[in-house]
Amino acid sequence: MPEPFLLKYIHEPDQGDLDAYVSRGGYEGLRRALAMRPEEVVDEVERSGLRGRGGAGFGTGRKWKFLPRDPAVTKYVVVNADEGEPGTFKDRTLMEGDPHRLIEGIVIAGYAVDAHQAFIYLRREFHRARAVLERAIAQAYERGYLGRDILGSGYHLDLVLATGAGAYIAGEETALLESLEGRRAMPRLKPPFYPAVKGLYMQPTALNNVETLCHVAWILARGEAWYREQGPPILFSVSGHVQRPGVYELPLGTSIRQVIEAAGGLRPGRAFKACFPGGTSSAILPAAYLDTPMDYDLAKLDVYGAMLGSAALIVMDDTACMVEVVARTVEFYRDESCGKCTPCREGTVWLSQVLDRILHGKGRPEDLELLDGIARGMTGTCFCPLGESVPPAIYSSLRFFRHEYDHHVRTGHCDVKTAVQV
Amino acid sequence: MRLSDAARSAIVRLAGQFPQPRSALLGALFVAQEEAGALHPEVVAEVAALLGLPASEAAAVASFYHLYRFRPEGRHLIQVCTNVSCLLNGCRAVLDDLRRRLGIQVGETTPDGRFTLKTAECLAACEAAPVVMVGPDRHGPLRPEQIGEILERYA
């Protein structure tokens, strides 16, 4: 298995110090990029096979190619640092531990797409990441990695650290742009307005996730051939009932079982019950899927809504009540729904009410069909991916853990909590 | 209540970072909130005027986001994450313990004005579940027996 590199320096005591970063070969990728033509940089990223790590998995090089080349058109780079899906924490880890890697990736992206202004949209809750990034950005300006005439190349880029204010929907790329423009974070209709064509201030915008840009810095530093030999690597955020929750760098395609093993396995004496392979917006998979590879093909499983997403594996052992987990998940989307479209705004509230009464011993036998029906009403009808994130948990839990719902409805009690003393 | 000159110039500085000053609105509201303790209507109107916006626009934006407050809160905000990873790792016990120790419910402030207790959606720190933030500091994985000692650090 290749050596992890994305996480290589995140535990160093000199986290975020520019001298330490440069002494380990930092900003060499930027030097190399600046010696190339911008189109060559885009090609190199495309050939590396890098796919965006925000959840959608679109080819990064291809995305950049959608931006017009016309020098008369103002273009922007926007970094999505609004990580907030339950189960994800890798972007925060990267920003806190290796901030110059992100800055290097941003400057390379800016050069590649011919932008002179970049913004990091950072979650307000990330106080530590903010402090680390503020210092790193100031250092980068001082030493000529940002600002005018970067490393004597004639290229200039300004980087501004912008803030979120607590809204999960702002992680959706068009809602993020609205928020960055000083509005409510409500998604825009796409198509026709993809950010690459009409993004920030309706100008072409390269909008990338934090992890994606860290990969870009490594790709330019070591070359796309080296990068392809590495796996490609991906950062898994592993949490829930594992012994060592944390961020793990493993090749794409590592099985769910192996990822759990990397995180120390289950707690002693406990059996695996289920997992969300790609954060709470993905389907819940039972033990039968433990040997499934964690890659983009997850979406091809026979389970609706199974996906890699941002690779946030949440593990549940036999002490977890599925009705409770699903109810909590739906509650999250209910509270975070922006309210713009009816299926999401109404559907999440309705689902939440039904799940709540089942959970509190007041469920009715017809509630199971009702849950399924509401989920069907939301599927394919929501304005943006937030609402579409809800049905997978409903469908998959009804399919694999129907007996738990039945037991709740029939007896008014939870069979898990009675069977296991937690 | 009016914003101080320092806060006003901080907002103008923020606005200067963006091609369109309105982009500074979220950050500017935090500057105002920090100074005034909460986003009172007159403070929101002042922020809006500095950015060339109608007050109603700024208020509509502020009301959308979770981290703005419209009434003063305690000196330290305690946010207990209650989402799935924290739920699986015992956030309920932590929250119950905090309620008991502080003698308040979620959303309330202690009578001495020291702490406000809130629940949070994912704090993106699931490796430290159950996780609690006190002001800007992250604490976790937290066991209920550690809570007393942590609270003592915040005067």
Side-chain angles (χ1 to χ4, degrees):
Chain A
M1 199 173 287
E3 277 285 290
F5 58 94
L6 289 157
L7 298 178
K8 197 168 172 182
Y9 299 116
I10 62 158
H11 295 302
E12 296 290 333
D14 49 24
Q15 279 177 347
D17 180 70
L18 179 61
D19 288 322
Y21 184 69
V22 170
S23 73
R24 298 183 197 117
Y27 287 113
E28 284 308 313
L30 174 61
R31 266 179 218 286
R32 198 173 144 245
L34 292 174
M36 296 157 73
R37 286 186 300 112
E39 298 81 358
E40 291 172 335
V41 177
V42 178
D43 281 339
E44 174 129 358
V45 170
E46 187 171 29
R47 279 200 309 274
S48 75
L50 174 64
R51 296 172 66 165
R53 293 300 155 81
F58 195 81
T60 304
R62 247 188 96 203
K63 195 173 185 178
W64 290 356
K65 282 193 171 163
F66 290 141
L67 275 85
R69 279 268 145 226
D70 184 353
V73 176
T74 305
K75 301 161 206 90
Y76 297 107
V77 171
V78 172
V79 184
N80 187 340
D82 193 63
E83 181 173 54
E85 172 133 347
T88 58
F89 44 96
K90 43 128 186 148
D91 290 342
R92 200 205 79 237
T93 305
L94 288 171
M95 289 187 284
E96 289 178 355
D98 202 9
H100 281 289
R101 192 83 49 193
L102 173 61
I103 296 170
E104 182 173 1
I106 293 169
V107 186
I108 293 169
Y111 177 72
V113 303
D114 183 36
H116 297 286
Q117 177 76 61
F119 300 94
I120 301 176
Y121 182 91
L122 183 70
R123 256 191 98 167
R124 191 72 188 183
E125 292 89 335
F126 288 174
H127 296 276
R128 170 119 181 263
R130 175 170 303 274
V132 169
L133 280 170
E134 272 172 357
R135 185 179 83 136
I137 291 171
Q139 284 176 338
Y141 265 109
E142 245 167 61
R143 303 271 284 275
Y145 297 106
L146 277 172
R148 300 216 67 83
D149 193 20
I150 293 172
L151 299 175
S153 65
Y155 173 65
H156 67 273
L157 181 79
D158 280 308
L159 175 60
V160 170
L161 190 52
T163 186
Y168 168 67
I169 183 61
E172 194 280 330
E173 57 180 9
T174 61
L176 184 150
L177 294 173
E178 286 287 306
S179 187
L180 193 48
E181 290 180 11
R183 297 186 170 81
R184 290 181 154 216
M186 287 189 171
R188 297 174 180 171
L189 193 62
K190 54 173 196 182
F193 294 148
Y194 287 99
V197 184
K198 299 243 184 244
L200 188 63
Y201 312 125
M202 285 294 152
Q203 296 298 121
T205 302
L207 215 164
N208 292 107
N209 164 264
V210 170
E211 185 191 337
T212 310
L213 291 168
C214 292
H215 282 262
V216 165
W218 280 105
I219 291 166
L220 267 294
R222 302 275 180 91
E224 51 95 13
W226 168 86
Y227 180 77
R228 274 189 283 115
E229 284 163 23
Q230 307 303 309
I234 186 160
L235 293 183
F236 293 98
S237 309
V238 191
S239 66
H241 289 147
V242 289
Q243 299 220 50
R244 290 194 307 272
V247 183
Y248 294 89
E249 181 176 343
L250 298 162
L252 188 71
T254 305
S255 74
I256 294 174
R257 188 191 301 277
Q258 287 167 322
V259 178
I260 294 173
E261 277 162 15
L266 294 163
R267 303 183 293 181
R270 289 287 160 219
F272 176 88
K273 181 170 190 177
C275 69
F276 286 100
T280 53
S281 55
S282 71
I284 300 170
L285 299 178
Y289 293 86
L290 269 172
D291 293 307
T292 307
M294 292 274 282
D295 60 24
Y296 297 103
D297 284 349
L298 259 178
K300 294 183 188 157
L301 286 185
D302 60 343
V303 184
Y304 176 86
M307 61 170 184
L308 181 66
S310 50
L313 179 67
I314 306 174
V315 180
M316 292 166 269
D317 67 22
D318 52 357
T319 63
C321 164
M322 283 303 127
V323 181
E324 185 180 33
V325 166
V326 172
R328 183 63 190 87
T329 302
V330 170
E331 195 178 287
F332 169 73
Y333 291 103
R334 179 198 68 195
D335 290 352
E336 297 296 329
S337 172
C338 78
K340 179 166 181 154
C341 75
T342 312
C344 176
R345 185 184 62 240
E346 305 292 323
T348 51
V349 171
W350 196 4
L351 283 173
S352 206
Q353 285 169 347
V354 177
L355 285 161
D356 248 25
R357 73 172 173 251
I358 297 176
L359 200 56
H360 292 102
K362 303 215 163 54
R364 312 158 190 163
E366 61 271 26
D367 278 345
L368 272 63
E369 290 319 306
L370 182 56
L371 287 174
D372 185 68
I374 303 168
R376 276 176 203 287
M378 295 175 71
T379 305
T381 60
C382 294
F383 190 88
C384 87
L386 188 140
E388 301 290 336
S389 298
V390 183
I394 303 288
Y395 294 142
S396 56
S397 61
L398 281 172
R399 174 169 160 196
F400 300 118
F401 300 97
R402 197 174 194 96
H403 54 281
E404 284 192 30
Y405 285 99
D406 282 335
H407 188 90
H408 271 275
V409 169
R410 218 177 40 245
T411 68
H413 295 286
C414 174
D415 57 346
V416 177
K417 304 282 176 201
T418 12
V420 200
Q421 290 304 315
V422 272
Chain B
M1 155 144 224
R2 278 181 59 82
L3 292 174
S4 67
D5 288 345
R8 295 173 66 88
S9 55
I11 290 170
V12 172
R13 233 182 0 259
L14 272 181
Q17 291 186 304
F18 295 93
Q20 294 183 10
R22 182 181 179 143
S23 283
L25 180 56
L26 270 57
L29 288 168
F30 281 113
V31 172
Q33 174 166 293
E34 219 150 274
E35 175 157 301
L39 293 179
H40 308 293
E42 61 274 22
V43 171
V44 174
E46 219 180 323
V47 170
L50 283 168
L51 300 177
L53 292 169
S56 58
E57 275 284 320
V61 171
S63 67
F64 183 83
Y65 296 93
H66 299 309
L67 295 177
Y68 295 120
R69 50 177 189 258
F70 302 94
R71 281 189 306 270
E73 289 180 350
R75 289 194 293 286
H76 308 286
L77 172 64
I78 304 178
Q79 298 185 78
V80 183
C81 178
T82 56
N83 219 300
V84 175
S85 299
C86 286
L87 178 76
L88 296 170
N89 284 292
C91 69
R92 284 238 174 85
V94 170
L95 187 59
D96 286 346
D97 189 82
L98 276 164
R99 279 201 197 103
R100 206 167 38 239
R101 272 174 205 278
L102 301 173
I104 53 173
Q105 292 304 315
V106 172
E108 294 178 350
T109 300
T110 52
D112 61 0
R114 197 165 146 212
F115 294 111
T116 296
L117 180 64
K118 286 192 176 173
T119 55
E121 293 297 356
C122 188
L123 293 170
C126 319
E127 81 276 31
V131 69
V132 168
M133 280 184 82
V134 185
D137 311 323
R138 204 161 58 220
H139 301 281
L142 204 58
R143 293 187 309 276
E145 60 268 27
Q146 297 171 297
I147 292 171
E149 183 261 322
I150 287 172
L151 292 182
E152 276 170 30
R153 294 183 217 165
Y154 299 88

